[in-house]
Each structure stands twice: as C-alpha cells, then as structure tokens.
C-alpha cells in the first residue's frame, strides 16, 4: 500500500507530494516526486524503528540556498548524466557539445539543474509500486534529444528496495542515471567510519585529482582501496582521506548481481547492493555539511555507468541512440 501526502511547493509554485511505501515486514520507504528523492528508509528492529538514509522532513530543507550551496544530492535521482564529464565536452558526429560546467571546470550530475531538482510525474502501480516519469526536452542543459525517463521504486516483501530505470530518446544523447542516497546503518548519524564494507571487484577507474577518468582501470588488490575482503571504512581513511571512487565490474548485465555489502558496527543491520550497472561510485561523505548531517555521516553507494564514458570508446557505454532502450536495475536488500 502507498500513502500520499502533500510535501510542499517549489519556488515556482509546483505542488510536490510524498509517497510512503510499506512491505509486509514493516519496512517503510518515503519518496517525493521532487527529484525522485528517497527521503527516508526505516527498518523495524526489535527495540527501535531505525532510519538508515540521510534525508529531511520538508521540501524547504531540500531547496533552500544553504543546502544547495554545498549540495550533497541527498537521496535524489541523477541525470541526464551522473558523475563527471571532462570539461563538460562530448563529441557527437565530429561536433563538440558543450555541457554546463557546474563543478569547477567539469560537468557533474546533469548540470546546473539536473533531474534531482525536477518535479517528476508520479503514478502508483498496483497500489504498491511508485512510477516516476520525466521528459527532458531537447536542449535541456544543452543535452541533445527528447529523453523520456521512467524510474520505478519497488519495496518488496524480501526487504529489497528496487530501482528500475528505463529511458528512450529521439536523438543520440549521453546518459548515466543513478540514485544518490547516503546510507548509515547504525542507530545514529555521527559517522559511517565504523561501518564494514565489501566491494566485489579488484578494479577502480584510474582518475586524476579532480576525479576525471584516464580511460584505464587500476588494479587495487592489496592497496588501500581494496574492499574485496570486508573491512571497516576507517581502517585506511587516514591515508585516503576520503573515498570517492568508481569501482568497476566490467560489462553491464541483464539481471542484477551482488556487487557490495555494507554492515553497521555491530552487524545488526546489513545491506547488499545488487545491480546491472557496470560501476559503483563509493563516496564516504567527507564534505557533507547539511543541516544536522556532517562529514562522514553517510556513505553513498551509487550504482551507475562509468563517469566520462562518452569520451572513452573502451568503456562501451554512456550513449543512448534512437530506437535503443536504456534499462538498468539496482537493488538494496536489507538483512536484520
């Protein structure tokens, strides 16, 4: 069953709703059609109802200038292109397309006003799933083509929050959709450094200091970036300072496969991440300053395509052509 309440008005006066999904086990997910934001995900533990994502209780908290000035994209759907594009430039049919450079000299998460700040059209399916749709028109943020995007949120009785992505276009366009929730599985939001993380790959994308990929994969086995064997996030954080890396799994898959697992300090709550995407951006949140949330208060596990993929032919994705269907799925399974 899905409950709907008003969540406020945008600065342009658009009405926004908040949708509450529940499963038979008592899990609750709250999603607003502003940015497709997952505002809350709670678990019914023996002694408490535990909130495990960073989020706010009002639309104003997501839209005020203070929040946007150091914008962490809490819980939002990201598009047209998640992560970074080098200097905002892509080349299509021997012509350069200049996308907005909203992160220093580079393009980040769809530009100045990406999918994360749009009001999506919402539809409740079978009284249990939430379908969000958005038409990104030709030329929006200088992206070519009319892109019809559909995202379905499902909260299953197997305690999985599933996110199903689908998109079609009438012109070839760069695309990389993702979901930008920050997770904290403990019973407070002080720090995720004591969380244990496992990521099932020996490779990350090689990047420069501004996190722009070189096009090469870097073998991280037995390095500080290696999470193939589960370890605490804090174990090597003093030397790393902050993880913000795209872990690489090779090709996309037709069905989700497990790529990562996160658990709280005491192992009371675990979360498995499964996805069809080829990459997982792990960001440990050193630069979070938003309301009551500070540095390392959450970790983002963003299943996605590779950053800057349109500029690297060997990445073999990053573009969507007319007649093709962009389709991916990510599952966050809670075990407690």
């Amino acid at each position: 069953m899905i409950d709907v309440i008003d969540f406020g008005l945008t600065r342009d006066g658009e009405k926004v709703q908040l949708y509450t999904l529940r499963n038979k086990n008592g899990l609750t997910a709250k999603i607003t059609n502003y940015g497709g934001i997952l505002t809350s995900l709670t678990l019914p533990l023996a002694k408490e109802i535990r909130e495990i994502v960073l989020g706010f209780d009002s639309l104003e908290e997501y839209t005020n200038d203070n929040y946007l000035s150091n914008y962490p994209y809490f819980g939002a759907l990201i598009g047209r292109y998640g992560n970074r594009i080098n200097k905002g430039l892509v080349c299509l049919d021997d012509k350069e397309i200049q996308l907005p450079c909203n992160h220093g000299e580079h393009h980040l998460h769809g530009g100045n006003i990406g999918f994360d700040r749009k009001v999506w059209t919402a539809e409740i399916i079978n009284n249990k799933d939430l379908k969000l749709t958005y038409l990104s028109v030709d030329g929006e943020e200088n992206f070519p083509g009319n892109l019809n995007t559909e995202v379905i949120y499902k909260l299953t009785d197997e305690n999985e929050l599933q996110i199903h992505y689908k998109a079609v276009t009438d012109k070839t366009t760069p695309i990389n959709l993702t979901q930008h929730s920050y997770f904290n599985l403990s019973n407070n939001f002080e720090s995720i450094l004591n969380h244990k993380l496992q990521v099932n790959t020996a490779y990350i994308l090689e990047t420069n200091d501004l996190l722009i990929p070189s096009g090469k994969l870097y073998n991280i086995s037995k390095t500080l970036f290696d999470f193939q064997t589960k370890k605490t996030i804090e174990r090597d954080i003093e030397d790393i300072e902050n993880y913000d890396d795209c872990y690489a799994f090779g090709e996309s898959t037709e069905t989700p496969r497990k790529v990562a697992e996160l658990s709280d300090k005491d192992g009371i709550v675990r979360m498995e991440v499964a996805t069809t995407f080829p990459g997982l951006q792990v960001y440990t949140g050193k630069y979070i300053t938003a309301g009551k949330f500070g540095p390392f208060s959450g970790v983002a596990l963003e299943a996605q395509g590779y950053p800057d993929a349109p500029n690297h032919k060997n990445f073999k994705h990053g573009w969507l052509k007319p007649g093709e269907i962009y389709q991916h799925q990510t599952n966050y399974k809670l075990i407690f």
Side-chain angles (χ1 to χ4, degrees):
M1 184 174 178
I2 297 181
D3 296 326
V4 188
I5 61 171
D6 290 337
F7 198 53
L9 298 174
T10 68
R11 293 183 179 184
D12 296 328
E14 289 184 89
K15 184 182 289 187
V16 173
Q17 281 80 37
L18 184 69
Y19 298 81
T20 301
L21 286 63
R22 295 181 176 88
N23 75 358
K24 69 176 184 180
N25 306 315
L27 270 74
T28 300
K30 295 182 179 182
I31 299 152
T32 172
N33 62 321
Y34 174 80
I37 295 171
L38 177 67
T39 69
S40 172
L41 182 59
T42 59
L43 312 180
L45 302 186
K47 296 182 179 180
E48 62 175 320
I49 301 297
R50 182 173 295 187
E51 176 65 74
I52 64 165
V53 298
L54 276 57
F56 300 124
D57 296 325
S58 70
L59 180 62
E60 193 278 333
E61 290 173 282
Y62 288 102
T63 57
N64 67 63
D65 291 338
N66 186 53
Y67 175 68
L68 296 175
S69 66
N70 188 36
Y71 188 25
Y73 298 87
F74 279 173
L77 295 176
I78 304 296
R80 268 189 210 193
Y81 205 93
N83 219 312
R84 291 152 180 82
I85 292 180
N86 188 23
K87 297 182 179 175
L89 286 173
V90 295
C91 189
L92 177 62
D93 297 330
D94 297 324
K95 293 182 180 179
E96 281 192 345
I97 299 172
Q98 178 65 66
L99 303 173
C101 293
N102 59 316
H103 189 67
E105 61 180 8
H106 303 298
H107 178 88
L108 178 69
H109 290 340
N112 295 314
I113 302 180
F115 290 6
D116 53 289
R117 294 172 64 185
K118 301 293 185 179
V119 177
W120 294 59
T121 300
E123 179 183 355
I124 297 172
I125 307 295
N126 299 324
N127 203 31
K128 63 178 183 178
D129 302 330
L130 179 64
K131 181 168 82 170
L132 300 176
T133 55
Y134 177 68
L135 170 61
S136 177
V137 298
D138 186 18
E140 182 176 284
E141 296 293 307
N142 215 33
F143 283 94
N146 295 294
L147 184 75
N148 279 286
T149 304
E150 171 187 297
V151 177
I152 297 177
Y153 283 100
K154 296 174 178 258
L155 185 60
T156 75
D157 288 335
E158 288 70 43
N159 296 340
E160 279 187 344
L161 179 64
Q162 297 183 353
I163 307 165
H164 300 255
Y165 305 87
K166 188 176 180 180
V168 294
T169 184
D170 58 5
K171 293 181 183 178
T172 300
T173 186
I175 187 171
N176 186 26
L177 305 180
T178 190
Q179 213 283 347
H180 209 298
S181 285
Y182 293 78
F183 297 93
N184 186 320
L185 305 184
S186 63
N187 60 358
N188 64 68
F189 287 101
E190 290 181 4
S191 176
I192 46 80
L193 293 179
N194 61 10
H195 281 41
K196 294 179 181 178
L197 177 65
Q198 182 176 5
V199 185
N200 301 330
T201 181
Y203 295 94
I204 62 174
L205 299 193
E206 181 183 81
T207 61
N208 64 17
D209 292 343
L210 297 177
L211 305 183
I212 301 299
S214 68
K216 299 177 182 179
L217 299 184
Y218 173 52
N219 190 323
I220 56 171
S221 294
K222 299 181 181 179
T223 73
L224 303 181
F225 296 92
D226 189 353
F227 283 94
Q228 293 176 91
T229 300
K230 184 179 279 191
K231 69 178 183 180
T232 61
I233 293 173
E234 69 183 346
R235 194 178 87 177
D236 298 310
I237 201 73
E238 187 174 335
D239 294 314
I240 294 291
E241 295 187 10
N242 180 53
Y243 291 94
D244 197 356
D245 301 279
C246 187
Y247 285 74
F249 307 98
E251 299 294 327
S252 301
T253 56
E254 290 189 7
T255 57
R257 77 288 200 201
K258 182 181 174 181
V259 296
E261 182 175 309
L262 183 71
S263 59
D264 70 341
K265 176 184 177 182
D266 300 318
I268 295 173
V269 178
R270 292 188 291 126
M271 183 177 74
E272 296 179 350
V273 184
T275 189
T276 62
F277 282 109
L280 182 76
Q281 189 79 16
V282 175
Y283 171 50
T284 50
K286 178 182 179 180
Y287 302 107
I288 297 173
T289 54
K292 64 181 179 180
F293 303 110
F296 302 115
S297 55
V299 54
L301 301 173
E302 309 157 57
Q304 58 182 263
Y306 297 164
D308 203 36
N311 292 316
H312 303 279
K313 290 184 179 179
N314 57 310
F315 285 171
K316 299 180 182 179
H317 62 271
W319 293 99
L320 181 65
K321 299 177 181 178
E324 296 178 340
I325 299 176
Y326 177 93
Q327 204 155 358
H328 281 286
Q329 179 179 341
T330 298
N331 303 336
Y332 296 101
K333 182 178 178 68
L334 283 308
I335 303 161
F336 54 95

